[in-house]
Amino acid sequence: PHAGPADRKNEAAMSELVPEPRQKPVVPMKPTGINASLLGYIGIDTIIEQMRKKTMKTGFDFNIMVVGQSGLGKSTLVNTLFKSQVSRKSSGWNREEKIPKTVEIKAIGHVIEEGGVKMKLTVIDTPGFGDQINNENCWEPIEKYINEQYEKFLKEEVNIARKKRIPDTRVHCCLYFISPTGHSLRPLDLEFMKHLSKVVNIIPVIAKADTMTLEEKTEFKQRVRKELEVNGIEFYPQKEFDEDLEDKTENDKIRQESMPFAVVGSDKEYQVNGKRVLGRKTPWGIIEVENLTHCEFALLRDFVIRTHLQDLKEVTHNIHYETYRAKRLNDNGGLPPMTVETEENHESNM
Amino acid sequence: VVFQGEGCRTVPLSGHVGFDSLPDQLVNKSVNHGFCFNILCVGETGLGKSTLMDTLFNTKFEGDPASHSQPGVQLKSNTYDLQESNVNLKLTIVSTVGFGDQINKEDSYKPIVEFIDAQFEAYLQEELKIKRVLHNYHDTRIHACLYFIAPTGHSLKSLDLVTMKKLDSKVNIIPIIAKSDAISKTELTKFKIKITSELVSNGVQIYQFPTDDESVAEINGTMNAHLPFAVIGSTEELKIGNKMMKARQYPWGTVQVENEAHCDFVKLREMLIRVNMEDLREQTHTRHYELYRRCKLEEMGFKDTDPDSKPFSLQETYEAKRNEFLGELQKKEEAMRQMFVQRVKEKEAELKEAEKELHEKFDRLKKLHQDEKKKLEDKKKSLDDEVNAFKQRKTAAELLQSQAQQAGGSQTLKRDKERK
């Protein structure tokens, strides 16, 4: 009266390919647990420390993409977020370079370290997005890039002899910059987010928020939220992925009140009240980037980096990537084998 | 796409960013998820496997005591939910039953190997599914195999060598000397040396506690030298001094389980649980499982891409195999359907036959019944006729008699009158 692991019904034909083991295991595992009460300290809670040590040793990858029209302060914001010169503009690229005629994808990788934690941060910039006269389908190169990274990972995952740690270039987070018009979202914004929210975690931010007063900001945010809802755009954190009640309560608050974050970026420091702060200097005052009464940068930073970074990666891996993989494996060879167009092509398949 | 930064350079931070909370974020997620740990105990009957588990985890695990009535080697498995502070652990303990009891032990290792493989297989099947739920999968793969060596004091038995050799590429083996209070200290040292040299000379790869992380390198290195651990198990607590301790009492003295001078129990617990539990899980996944997967896929005929083939040939091979398989399935299905139709026809014919017979029988019976009825009616009629005839005669007779009487009576009257 029990079903061994070999008996488990296979949902997909793919797994039926793996032939049944000739004999069932002698005694199958019973997954339901019996509660055993411990009579003394054993030390199984040390696994937390063990795990922490291991992760610190392997380090972390994080890939963040920024999308928005030219001049919205994308590179500055990323530099501010990570308190270092990590964006494209800072890495020796010509500051005065022309706006490209088509959307380009430029990825820059850096290693940053803090408190013993090593992170390989990759910032993916998308110059040219929304800058043309005719912007039809300008999200396509971006969607293509995102899917290419899933493809790369999948290829590595299905290898027979595979790497101990598959290099992760998948986009974990996409910051979408909304122009602070004060009115509503533009059609391009809606189109982009509609298409891409299904394949990647999108976090909309209102750029250059220092051009709006507090009331204008609140109203604009409300309008944007409404519009996103009306258009069925699920931005991160997506409602359907809330894991438990605690998550839901926490995320509901963020979704319904804080987002989209109205931010200001700066990599310049000024002296304010005896402290050195990051800010923007104007004739009428210094806008302190990390001051919550001035703008919501600190909220964005805490959200993306200090509380939800790991979750962004997990949603990307467990949901977006799995969706891509399932779709890819289901298509009966209908899709031509995708060619990966990055310059790293030459190093594959060797 | 242009990618810059293959040889990524380190960039300095001008302030506190906050990603140093990453390990905490990751750990918190794992804690919410819960952990799995699966131990396999291999050893002959009576070496104290269950007692040791009870002692290690400081609890009395309920489980039906093993019944040693089966002929071959069996594996008994139980899963327990343990909780300590905020850690929820799903602990599975698998034990061999009847290992070493057989006369012919050539195949004794097989059920064990098959069991370990079956867990890998289950994971592989999940991994290969199109719609899979890997992050919620209940991992049943064996993370540590405690191999119980009998405390003979001499050397390893050939069964031990053979079994460990078969298992060393599939699971992390930690050999332990069971019931080690049966051996004296000096004999124990010699025994350990003998065992270690036999393992080495036979090329058995036992699990080495990792020494690459400086924080644990020293302790792990020392412990590696103490293998195999000589252990004693006991769940009985005795008062020693003014404390209650786990111990075994003999007329000549008391053996304390947690006294490192008496046995290596504390070392085992330290290594297995408090220092290397995570490493054991990692090695199982990245080394043993990968090896199993690689062999299995190669066996099934998959190859990695060769220099000039298309990028996703695994998928194409899959497709080909899948179509082949589906084709076979269809043929089988067709054959089964034919057979089914055939059987149905036969059965139908049988039933019709039976029905016909029944009808005939019924008709016969009915006729019989009717005949019988008619006979009875005829008889009745003749009987009635007789009765009627009789009645008639009776009436006639009675009439005659009464006439005669009357005539005689009137004559008598006449005679009487004449006499007068």
Side-chain angles (χ1 to χ4, degrees):
Chain A
H2 34 241
D7 277 348
R8 208 186 294 162
K9 282 246 160 62
N10 297 315
E11 299 174 89
M14 189 71 77
S15 57
E16 284 163 358
L17 279 181
V18 180
E20 299 249 82
R22 289 147 288 117
Q23 294 156 293
K24 295 203 182 116
V26 181
V27 174
M29 308 284 287
K30 284 185 277 223
T32 50
I34 306 168
N35 267 318
S37 42
L38 303 175
L39 304 167
Y41 179 69
I42 301 172
I44 51 185
D45 57 355
T46 56
I47 194 169
I48 295 183
E49 254 327 289
Q50 296 177 35
M51 189 177 262
R52 184 180 282 130
K53 267 200 218 124
K54 275 203 181 281
T55 58
M56 302 246 321
K57 208 159 152 260
T58 44
F60 300 86
D61 283 344
F62 191 60
N63 309 319
I64 184 168
M65 178 187 265
V66 287
V67 181
Q69 273 182 299
S70 206
L72 282 180
K74 306 190 291 291
S75 308
T76 314
L77 185 70
V78 171
N79 284 348
T80 321
L81 266 177
F82 291 98
K83 294 251 165 75
S84 60
Q85 307 294 305
V86 283
S87 71
R88 175 181 62 96
K89 291 244 172 95
S90 335
S91 307
W93 296 60
N94 194 346
R95 246 199 140 80
E96 268 98 46
E97 64 184 40
K98 294 214 181 83
I99 293 174
K101 293 256 163 42
T102 56
V103 178
E104 291 180 352
I105 317 273
K106 296 200 167 138
I108 315 258
H110 290 101
V111 172
I112 47 181
E113 189 178 330
E114 188 175 67
V117 178
K118 265 207 174 98
M119 180 152 92
K120 173 151 178 289
L121 174 72
T122 306
V123 179
I124 303 135
D125 204 344
T126 54
F129 177 84
D131 292 331
Q132 320 309 327
I133 291 176
N134 181 359
N135 288 307
E136 250 173 40
N137 302 330
C138 67
W139 57 83
E140 280 179 357
I142 299 175
E143 193 173 351
K144 181 149 169 270
Y145 175 83
I146 292 174
N147 284 332
E148 276 171 5
Q149 308 319 303
Y150 291 144
E151 182 67 27
K152 246 204 268 184
F153 193 90
L154 179 61
K155 248 178 66 186
E156 194 54 49
E157 205 199 349
V158 298
N159 267 342
I160 308 264
R162 44 189 196 184
K163 299 201 183 110
K164 188 164 174 180
R165 213 174 138 223
I166 303 176
D168 192 357
T169 55
R170 301 170 295 183
V171 178
H172 301 129
C173 169
C174 173
L175 292 183
Y176 187 78
F177 286 68
I178 298 170
S179 189
T181 60
H183 295 301
S184 57
L185 290 171
R186 293 171 308 142
L188 177 60
D189 299 334
L190 289 169
E191 277 305 297
F192 178 86
M193 285 196 271
K194 245 197 246 179
H195 280 97
L196 280 264
S197 60
K198 302 195 190 87
V199 296
V200 73
N201 296 322
I202 295 193
I203 297 181
V205 295
I206 299 171
K208 303 214 156 165
D210 49 341
T211 56
M212 291 190 286
T213 63
L214 280 177
E215 293 86 17
E216 286 166 353
K217 233 190 280 183
T218 324
E219 276 172 28
F220 187 40
K221 280 169 65 159
Q222 262 175 358
R223 257 199 300 276
V224 168
R225 274 198 295 267
K226 192 75 200 292
E227 270 190 286
L228 290 174
E229 194 187 324
V230 161
N231 281 277
I233 296 170
E234 276 251 55
F235 53 85
Y236 177 88
Q238 300 92 334
K239 274 192 275 253
E240 48 178 334
F241 307 143
D242 284 337
E243 284 183 350
D244 51 34
L245 192 60
E246 203 184 309
D247 264 1
K248 187 170 167 351
T249 337
E250 191 190 324
N251 288 341
D252 268 346
K253 191 159 183 295
I254 297 172
R255 279 188 290 257
Q256 289 159 13
E257 291 171 23
S258 322
M259 285 178 84
F261 300 110
V263 296
V264 173
S266 170
D267 43 15
K268 292 202 170 60
E269 283 190 337
Y270 295 96
Q271 194 91 351
V272 174
N273 294 337
K275 281 203 301 175
R276 301 279 306 163
V277 292
L278 282 172
R280 279 175 65 75
K281 191 160 181 203
T282 69
W284 46 91
I286 295 180
I287 305 161
E288 295 162 53
V289 166
E290 284 172 296
N291 185 334
L292 275 173
T293 54
H294 289 196
C295 80
E296 293 166 354
F297 169 81
L299 288 181
L300 174 69
R301 177 202 57 206
D302 288 351
F303 180 63
V304 172
I305 300 178
R306 297 186 188 175
T307 56
H308 285 71
L309 204 147
Q310 183 59 29
D311 187 60
L312 280 161
K313 291 178 62 174
E314 291 199 3
V315 170
T316 307
H317 179 63
N318 293 332
I319 296 168
H320 295 304
Y321 169 69
E322 286 297 317
T323 311
Y324 177 83
R325 176 183 174 275
K327 188 157 166 296
R328 188 87 174 85
L329 295 183
N330 239 338
D331 292 342
N332 279 321
L335 266 178
M338 290 185 73
T339 47
V340 179
E341 278 173 34
T342 59
E343 287 180 350
E344 300 138 305
N345 219 358
H346 64 276
E347 69 173 12
S348 64
N349 296 345
M350 284 305 179
Chain B
V1 179
V2 180
F3 190 95
Q4 185 186 313
E6 264 307 332
C8 285
R9 57 194 173 96
T10 314
V11 185
L13 301 176
S14 62
H16 180 63
V17 176
F19 62 88
D20 53 352
S21 65
L22 259 180
D24 284 326
Q25 291 182 39
L26 198 145
V27 159
N28 283 339
K29 275 199 177 285
S30 298
V31 164
N32 283 340
H33 219 78
F35 301 90
C36 266
F37 195 57
N38 310 319
I39 303 180
L40 169 66
C41 295
V42 178
E44 290 178 14
T45 313
L47 282 182
K49 301 189 286 293
S50 352
T51 313
L52 186 67
M53 287 298 107
D54 285 350
T55 322
L56 255 180
F57 291 99
N58 236 333
T59 182
K60 193 86 182 71
F61 286 121
E62 294 140 26
D64 346 295
S67 118
H68 291 80
S69 55
Q70 302 274 49
V73 175
Q74 308 280 318
L75 283 117
K76 201 166 81 80
S77 148
N78 282 302
T79 306
Y80 308 96
D81 284 319
L82 304 176
Q83 190 177 15
E84 199 167 69
S85 1
N86 56 346
V87 174
N88 285 314
L89 182 73
K90 227 179 188 48
L91 176 73
T92 302
I93 300 180
V94 189
S95 270
T96 54
V97 176
F99 184 72
D101 287 345
Q102 298 72 29
I103 293 173
N104 182 357
K105 296 180 256 222
E106 274 178 0
D107 291 342
S108 292
Y109 70 88
K110 284 195 189 151
I112 306 173
V113 167
E114 280 169 5
F115 182 84
I116 295 175
D117 279 348
Q119 311 318 309
F120 285 145
E121 185 63 34
Y123 189 90
L124 181 62
Q125 290 212 21
E126 183 65 33
E127 208 196 335
L128 290 176
K129 280 193 190 153
I130 295 185
K131 261 219 179 119
R132 59 191 190 179
V133 205
L134 270 181
H135 63 284
N136 262 336
Y137 178 78
H138 173 72
D139 192 1
T140 57
R141 299 172 294 180
I142 301 295
H143 301 123
C145 171
L146 295 179
Y147 194 93
F148 287 67
I149 298 169
T152 59
H154 300 307
S155 59
L156 285 174
K157 300 188 185 167
S158 40
L159 174 64
D160 295 337
L161 278 169
V162 164
T163 310
M164 279 200 270
K165 195 85 177 77
K166 291 281 180 189
L167 294 178
D168 70 356
S169 59
K170 293 194 175 283
V171 73
N172 300 316
I173 300 182
I174 301 177
I176 60 180
I177 300 170
K179 298 200 165 175
S180 63
D181 49 350
I183 319 178
S184 76
K185 258 290 196 287
T186 34
E187 284 171 359
L188 194 58
T189 326
K190 270 195 269 171
F191 191 29
K192 281 193 183 183
I193 295 174
K194 190 79 186 5
I195 293 175
T196 320
S197 71
E198 281 192 322
L199 289 174
V200 166
S201 57
N202 280 280
V204 175
Q205 303 270 16
I206 57 172
Y207 175 74
Q208 294 295 307
F209 305 120
T211 48
D212 45 0
D213 184 335
E214 327 82 47
S215 56
V216 291
E218 202 189 317
I219 186 173
N220 277 345
T222 329
M223 294 296 181
N224 276 326
H226 278 103
L227 284 169
F229 292 134
V231 295
I232 298 165
S234 173
T235 46
E236 269 186 57
E237 295 214 327
L238 300 167
K239 194 157 188 175
I240 296 165
N242 52 358
K243 284 208 287 173
M244 294 298 283
M245 291 193 208
K246 292 195 271 275
R248 285 176 63 78
Q249 187 155 60
Y250 291 105
W252 46 87
T254 312
V255 182
Q256 294 153 36
V257 170
E258 284 172 295
N259 186 332
E260 289 199 64
H262 290 193
C263 75
D264 296 331
F265 172 82
V266 170
K267 294 193 178 72
L268 173 67
R269 182 181 57 198
E270 198 66 21
M271 288 293 99
L272 182 67
I273 302 174
R274 297 187 188 171
V275 178
N276 299 303
M277 187 155 64
E278 184 56 25
D279 186 68
L280 284 161
R281 283 155 34 109
E282 194 182 284
Q283 293 290 326
T284 305
H285 181 64
T286 58
R287 195 145 57 91
H288 300 297
Y289 169 70
E290 283 299 310
L291 182 62
Y292 174 85
R293 177 182 173 274
R294 190 159 64 235
C295 294
K296 196 61 198 282
L297 291 180
E298 278 172 2
E299 200 184 297
M300 291 197 329
F302 293 123
K303 285 195 293 289
D304 269 338
T305 59
D306 25 47
D308 49 32
S309 81
K310 299 144 234 159
F312 207 29
S313 72
L314 184 64
Q315 194 210 7
E316 288 174 17
T317 325
Y318 259 150
E319 288 311 320
K321 286 227 165 185
R322 177 204 211 178
N323 289 333
E324 188 188 313
F325 187 73
L326 283 178
E328 258 182 56
L329 268 186
Q330 271 178 337
K331 269 197 230 141
K332 274 201 195 146
E333 200 183 324
E334 198 46 48
M336 276 179 74
R337 193 180 301 138
Q338 297 289 21
M339 190 163 68
F340 179 72
V341 168
Q342 182 69 6
R343 285 253 185 90
V344 166
K345 279 208 187 115
E346 284 174 23
K347 197 74 184 179
E348 207 177 356
E350 263 178 61
L351 284 174
K352 275 220 173 91
E353 207 35 64
E355 194 183 8
K356 192 156 141 227
E357 266 180 59
L358 272 176
H359 275 225
E360 284 176 9
K361 198 165 179 192
F362 179 71
D363 285 338
R364 274 204 308 273
L365 279 175
K366 194 166 168 195
K367 186 154 184 309
L368 231 87
H369 179 249
Q370 276 177 339
D371 287 345
E372 204 76 9
K373 190 169 175 197
K374 185 146 190 312
K375 265 199 218 145
L376 277 175
E377 277 178 5
D378 286 344
K379 260 211 174 135
K380 185 169 184 226
K381 187 156 185 301
S382 63
L383 208 67
D384 280 339
D385 288 341
E386 264 181 57
V387 167
N388 283 337
F390 177 73
K391 272 199 181 141
Q392 272 180 347
R393 285 212 304 273
K394 182 176 177 199
T395 335
E398 276 178 357
L399 193 65
L400 245 109
Q401 199 180 42
S402 71
Q403 275 178 350
Q405 266 189 349
Q406 261 185 1
S410 62
Q411 265 191 359
T412 322
L413 224 77
K414 229 176 171 180
R415 230 187 282 140
D416 278 344
K417 259 186 182 172
E418 281 175 359
R419 259 197 228 123
K420 275 188 189 156

